[in-house]
Amino acid sequence: MISSVLPTYARAPLNFIKGEGCWLESADGRRYLDLGSGIAVTLLGHANPVLTEALTEQAGKLWHVSNLYEIPGQQELADRLVAASFADTVFFTNSGTEAAELAIKMARKYWYDKGEVSRFGIIAFEGCFHGRSTAAIAASGAEKMVKGFGPMPEGFSQVPFGDLDAVRAAVTDQTAAIIIEPVQGEGGILPTDDAYLKGLREICDATGTLLIFDEVQCGMGRTGKLFAHEWSCVTPDIMMVAKGIGGGFPLGAVLATETAAAGMGLGTHGSTYGGNPLACAVGNAVMKEVANDAFLAEVNRKAGLLRQKLEGLIAEFPDVFDSVRGAGLMLGIKCKAVNADVVKAGYEAGVITVPAGDNVIRLLPALTVTEADIEEGITRLAAAARSLA
Ligand SMILES: *Cc1c(COP(=O)(O)O)cnc(C)c1O
């Protein structure tokens, strides 16, 4: 008999009942160090008092009003995001997938309004992940996501990640946009280098193609800059954020330049919950904490420390681990053992990591992770590795 929860996830037998900072407690009283943050979501740790205060204060006043009315918290959050980024305008969603949908719609509408109605092609990258809607799985093209779901929407293609010539060859006068994660997350924590993003920007500028960055996982301070693309000094035309921006409350956004957003006038898009008062109260609190140089300097310092210790760990267990890669506190350890086994051994050792493509385990701790947490994390990862070696 089918379980009452649709069985689309192979769930680990872990039952967490509360959390604090980087720590989770399960129903049986065990404590786990959380280096996954629910896949890069709980950006400021569990039960962060600042976020709890922001949410509960708003909850006592007003939960929801329709986007038919003004929402001051939404205006404030949009202003903050515009002030802190390349963007001129923001639309709020509840998830990364919805942000992907709008980013794609926006790029297509841009060309439609220019009279280029067949310029709807979207070029994505092998190993990418933009969500689970029909358009987002079509963008990925991965058989494990699209198989069985009928005809995919037209116009999506994929090129190898990291190959500029392949992009040059794929862009035609039917290409509306290129969509890329500046650091591939699900694909296995694969960063792009600065020259690559610059090359993409040049291709886009030469052809008019719009450049969409998916910063759902790598944005919001995770790499040590507010947005990962800032390392390269390249800006997109459209960007998606979600995950960390809500710190665990469902919130996403599409940020865009005025030019790229030109087609999205009255009535072209909407959302019931997107940008509602509760979500925006939390989003504003997250932005206040993260969009500041002192906070980001600390992220970089702790990222350096974690990375250095991981290098030591890998050297100590060369049969289990291969190498570390990533940016800031978005790190992947390429494994020699099977990554799922390493994650499972981590559960036994009381440390939570997240598997990704290319036999990688992801470390995506809260940006508020302490030095003591990092020490403990390394100790527990070592225990996990020892149990496998
Ligand atoms: C998680 C993720 C998404 C999808 O976000 P949801 O909130 O799960 O819809 C899209 N893009 C990237 C890069 C992601 O990591």
Side-chain angles (χ1 to χ4, degrees):
M1 201 172 80
I2 194 166
S3 58
S4 60
V5 174
L6 191 72
T8 59
Y9 279 92
R11 289 170 197 274
L14 296 169
N15 176 0
F16 301 119
I17 51 166
K18 64 181 188 191
E20 189 182 355
C22 284
W23 291 88
L24 284 167
E25 192 180 312
S26 58
D28 60 6
R30 275 195 79 190
R31 275 163 54 83
Y32 294 80
L33 182 66
D34 182 9
L35 299 181
S37 308
I39 318 195
V41 170
T42 49
L43 193 75
L44 300 176
H46 298 286
N48 181 295
V50 174
L51 302 192
T52 303
E53 163 78 23
L55 180 66
T56 51
E57 199 205 318
Q58 184 61 46
K61 286 195 270 188
L62 181 66
W63 287 25
H64 179 81
V65 291
S66 166
N67 280 306
L68 294 169
Y69 314 108
E70 288 178 8
I71 301 178
Q74 185 183 125
Q75 182 65 54
E76 183 188 338
L77 182 53
D79 290 344
R80 277 182 202 282
L81 288 165
V82 164
S85 75
F86 71 95
D88 303 311
T89 189
V90 184
F91 184 93
F92 293 101
T93 67
N94 310 287
S95 69
T97 303
E98 287 167 84
E101 284 291 324
L102 174 55
I104 291 162
K105 284 177 70 177
M106 186 181 280
R108 288 179 161 184
K109 187 67 164 39
Y110 170 89
W111 289 109
Y112 180 88
D113 283 5
K114 284 185 183 295
E116 299 201 34
V117 296
S118 61
R119 193 163 178 175
F120 55 72
I122 308 284
I123 297 175
F125 292 84
E126 289 171 8
C128 72
F129 183 80
H130 302 297
R132 294 293 197 137
S133 66
T134 314
I137 62 176
S140 121
E143 187 181 325
K144 65 176 183 195
M145 283 193 264
V146 302
K147 193 177 174 192
F149 294 109
M152 287 292 119
E154 263 182 81
F156 292 91
S157 60
Q158 299 80 30
V159 296
F161 190 71
D163 182 347
L164 274 183
D165 287 333
V167 179
R168 265 184 216 105
V171 173
T172 70
D173 58 5
Q174 316 265 287
T175 307
I178 295 171
I179 182 168
I180 188 166
E181 297 157 79
V183 184
Q184 259 193 10
E186 305 296 315
I189 311 292
L190 290 162
T192 47
D193 61 30
D194 298 355
Y196 190 69
L197 292 185
K198 284 198 175 81
L200 289 181
R201 184 70 265 179
E202 279 164 20
I203 293 168
C204 287
D205 289 346
T207 56
T209 306
L210 296 172
L211 185 57
I212 304 172
F213 285 164
D214 181 346
E215 295 228 11
V216 168
Q217 194 163 146
C218 63
M220 295 308 297
R222 177 121 317 259
T223 68
K225 296 266 192 197
L226 184 60
F227 299 111
H229 68 263
E230 292 172 28
W231 290 108
S232 69
C233 300
V234 169
T235 56
D237 302 293
I238 301 171
M239 177 171 73
M240 299 131 63
V241 296
K243 292 198 166 102
I245 192 174
F249 197 92
L251 175 62
V254 174
L255 285 68
T257 64
E258 183 168 9
T259 307
M264 302 305 295
L266 278 181
T268 54
H269 198 64
S271 171
T272 294
Y273 278 127
N276 86 0
L278 288 178
C280 289
V282 180
N284 277 306
V286 169
M287 275 295 284
K288 269 190 235 170
E289 296 285 304
V290 176
N292 104 48
D293 289 341
F295 183 90
L296 293 171
E298 264 298 281
V299 172
N300 284 303
R301 190 182 65 78
K302 287 180 293 194
L305 188 71
L306 175 57
R307 188 155 185 151
Q308 185 193 343
K309 291 187 181 294
L310 287 173
E311 297 283 6
L313 179 77
I314 290 163
E316 198 183 335
F317 297 98
D319 298 335
V320 178
F321 302 124
D322 178 76
S323 52
V324 59
R325 64 199 192 199
L329 289 173
M330 183 172 185
L331 294 173
I333 307 178
K334 168 113 176 143
C335 296
K336 286 197 185 133
V338 175
N339 62 348
D341 295 343
V342 180
V343 170
K344 207 161 163 238
Y347 297 155
E348 299 296 319
V351 59
I352 308 291
T353 63
V354 186
D358 198 29
N359 204 36
V360 159
I361 63 165
R362 275 179 277 186
L363 308 184
L364 308 155
L367 305 187
T368 49
V369 65
T370 65
E371 280 187 35
D373 294 336
I374 290 172
E375 288 287 349
E376 189 60 32
I378 296 294
T379 303
R380 291 181 180 216
L381 287 170
R386 209 167 287 122
S387 77
L388 290 169

